[in-house]
Amino acid sequence: MISPLTLQTLLTLVVCSLLASAALPMIYRRNPSRRKVLAAASAAVLLIVPWWAPVGMWTVPVATGAELRRLLNQPLPWLLLTAWWAVSAFLVVRSLAAVAHSRRWLSRLPPLADPRLEHEVRRLARYLGLRHPIHLRCGHTACASTLGAYTLVLPAAAAQWSMETRTAVLAHEITHLQRRDDRLLLAVRLLVDWYWWMPWLRSLRQRFEEAMEESCDDRASAALPSRAAYVAGVVHAARSLAWRGRHDTGPERWLALLGSAHLTIRANRLLERPAARFNPSDGHWTLLWLILVLLVGAAARPIAAPIPIPGDAIVVPLVSSGPADPAPPQVRVRSFVLDRASARWRALPESARDPMPVYPAAALERGLTGMVIVELQARFTRFGLIRTSPPRITSTDPSGLFRGAVERALARSPSFEHGAALRIASLHDFAGASLPARDLLLRQEYRFELPLPEAASTQ
């Protein structure tokens, strides 16, 4: 059994993953929503690439040398694929087990019964467009999950938070619930687990997480009076969870206390005033070229490159100046329908959709001609022409060579194509011909002709 993946598929995966991992830190620096979509699209491309060629999707032929083409089309060894899939399956199962453990952990957390907090959650959920009921739980940190029931976890210290801090944290977590970010993050994590042998994909997951948090900040900050108020609430909540018992001396020390964490970047981008003009460095053209490169890289298929003609070669014309070549053999098809009133066969117009047999090579060698007759029954209904019997050969040549050619043509043609000549003839064409309105008998004559004087007819 031949492996479904080739060396070219493996190289395409590596190139696409490297391009995506290198492009994400450089483009859409000011637009996290687009950066998040780009990361998700790159992950989808990596999932599609291995099955692009086996499924037979759109491809782009690329001329290569014979040795390179043979090397790229070399199937991957089954031992290598088995090792890849075995390790990937283990990592994926481990990640899914961690998700199941997290769900059990969330279900065991005690409910958070606070009427004021529940009212604030419902108000923010309506404002942010979340229609699902939210279950409040009390835990050690603030988090949210949509894997199962929509659950929002708040620490016990949230009761001592100010209204501004509590609103900022709730808006952030409810936005995650509304966009189901945990499910997307799980999908990217499973992709990284599946391609464990490409460690640079971990940066793609990191960029996805950063873009997810930054875009969530943009949406959640609209629920507060200002971005500065949102930053103050998020930073205060982070500090209270990290250094319990310590209090800040003023908002000017927020960024200094955050250190080099990603929260620093999130706070900086929210507090700064973005330029109102169009930013050409946002990566629009870079993204366009990246998508084109990914499409060509995923769809490229090597073909044999044409051998160049030497400069001192003599070109011989294909058209000879001698006598004209004899006419090629022909297969003609004629269709008829039986007029039961007059017991005569009435000719029908020709149709290019009728199955055409190939002139047998053995008949050509012996110079034989002949005719094969095929009949079938059909019926006119309000839904169109319906065949009521399969095609049946009623007459053939004595040698049987042409019968086999017609049978092969009928076998490789869809059943609805046989009798297409009658299909293109409208009902009013049979007016006055005393044809029945329903049951019809069709005949098709396949004539094998050799326009040579020495041909020996078998009929």
Side-chain angles (χ1 to χ4, degrees):
M1 184 177 179
I2 301 177
S3 171
L5 302 182
T6 62
L7 179 61
Q8 185 208 351
T9 304
L10 192 66
L11 294 177
T12 304
L13 282 171
V14 173
V15 172
C16 292
S17 62
L18 286 174
L19 285 175
S21 301
L24 281 174
M26 296 186 297
I27 63 177
Y28 289 146
R29 292 184 294 271
R30 291 182 178 271
N31 196 327
S33 296
R34 292 184 180 179
R35 193 165 70 249
K36 174 186 171 183
V37 172
L38 177 59
S42 302
V45 169
L46 294 178
L47 290 177
I48 294 174
V49 164
W51 315 114
W52 193 290
V55 174
M57 300 177 70
W58 171 72
T59 59
V60 177
V62 177
T64 59
E67 293 298 330
L68 180 59
R69 187 179 78 258
R70 188 179 302 109
L71 178 63
L72 293 177
N73 291 331
Q74 187 71 21
L76 295 177
W78 274 109
L79 181 61
L80 181 63
L81 289 180
T82 303
W84 169 13
W85 293 342
V87 177
S88 300
F90 170 76
L91 296 177
V92 168
V93 170
R94 188 182 64 175
S95 297
L96 294 178
V99 171
H101 176 73
S102 300
R103 290 186 59 184
R104 290 193 299 269
W105 174 77
L106 288 175
S107 63
R108 295 171 184 172
L109 291 177
L112 185 59
D114 189 338
R116 293 183 304 171
L117 194 59
E118 293 177 355
H119 175 73
E120 183 70 12
V121 168
R122 288 193 296 268
R123 183 185 70 82
L124 289 174
R126 287 194 301 268
Y127 176 80
L128 296 171
L130 181 61
R131 298 292 182 264
H132 293 271
I134 301 177
H135 302 272
L136 290 177
R137 302 280 182 176
C138 182
H140 299 287
T141 185
C143 61
S145 173
T146 63
L147 298 174
Y150 282 65
T151 306
L152 196 156
V153 180
L154 289 177
Q160 286 76 38
W161 288 349
S162 64
M163 178 61 68
E164 183 180 76
T165 301
R166 191 160 56 243
T167 303
V169 174
L170 289 177
H172 183 85
E173 300 301 336
I174 292 175
T175 303
H176 279 313
L177 292 175
Q178 193 270 334
R179 301 191 308 178
R180 300 176 179 87
D181 284 335
D182 55 337
R183 301 185 184 185
L184 296 176
L185 187 59
L186 175 61
V188 176
R189 178 180 176 180
L190 295 179
L191 174 74
V192 175
D193 290 341
W194 185 259
Y195 293 114
W196 55 269
W197 48 273
M198 292 190 291
W200 53 86
L201 282 181
R202 297 175 185 173
S203 65
L204 185 145
R205 174 187 171 185
Q206 179 183 356
R207 298 298 177 183
F208 180 83
E209 293 179 5
E210 294 174 356
M212 180 183 68
E213 293 294 339
E214 293 175 12
S215 60
C216 182
D217 290 336
D218 292 340
R219 180 73 177 93
S221 60
L224 276 84
S226 64
R227 289 187 173 186
Y230 175 79
V231 171
V234 172
V235 171
H236 183 268
R239 291 182 56 207
S240 65
L241 293 177
W243 302 290
R244 294 182 181 180
R246 294 187 56 180
H247 300 281
D248 55 345
T249 58
E252 67 274 3
R253 299 189 59 189
W254 291 342
L255 301 181
L257 292 173
L258 291 177
S260 59
H262 182 244
L263 188 57
T264 307
I265 302 175
R266 292 165 53 190
N268 269 321
R269 64 176 298 274
L270 285 176
L271 293 177
E272 71 177 2
R273 294 185 178 276
R277 59 182 178 83
F278 175 73
N279 184 14
S281 64
D282 203 20
H284 295 81
W285 291 106
T286 306
L287 176 62
L288 177 61
W289 286 110
L290 176 64
I291 293 176
L292 290 177
V293 171
L294 289 178
L295 288 176
V296 173
R301 288 296 173 267
I303 61 173
I307 301 176
I309 300 177
D312 56 349
I314 301 176
V315 179
V316 179
L318 295 178
V319 180
S320 61
S321 58
D325 295 334
Q330 296 181 353
V331 181
R332 300 182 182 275
V333 181
R334 297 186 61 188
S335 302
F336 303 87
V337 61
L338 180 61
D339 185 349
R340 299 185 184 274
S342 60
R344 294 182 179 179
W345 293 94
R346 178 177 177 181
L348 295 175
E350 296 182 0
S351 173
R353 293 167 51 191
D354 287 320
M356 293 298 296
V358 179
Y359 210 110
L364 288 175
E365 294 177 356
R366 298 165 56 181
L368 297 179
T369 62
M371 182 176 65
V372 178
I373 299 178
V374 178
E375 294 182 359
L376 75 155
Q377 295 179 354
R379 175 176 297 182
F380 267 126
T381 66
R382 60 178 179 176
F383 302 106
L385 183 66
I386 298 178
R387 200 185 70 181
T388 58
S389 67
R392 182 171 57 92
I393 297 178
T394 59
S395 178
T396 183
D397 62 297
S399 65
L401 297 176
F402 301 111
R403 179 189 182 97
V406 173
E407 289 177 346
R408 288 188 294 270
L410 297 177
R412 66 173 179 265
S413 300
S415 59
F416 65 85
E417 290 189 358
H418 193 75
L422 181 62
R423 189 182 299 272
I424 66 175
S426 59
L427 286 175
H428 69 271
D429 291 336
F430 301 101
S434 302
L435 291 177
R438 296 177 61 86
D439 296 325
L440 300 173
L441 182 61
L442 306 180
R443 169 185 287 183
Q444 285 188 306
E445 298 179 355
Y446 293 89
R447 296 181 178 272
F448 297 81
E449 301 176 354
L450 285 175
L452 300 175
E454 63 271 17
S457 176
T458 60
Q459 295 293 328

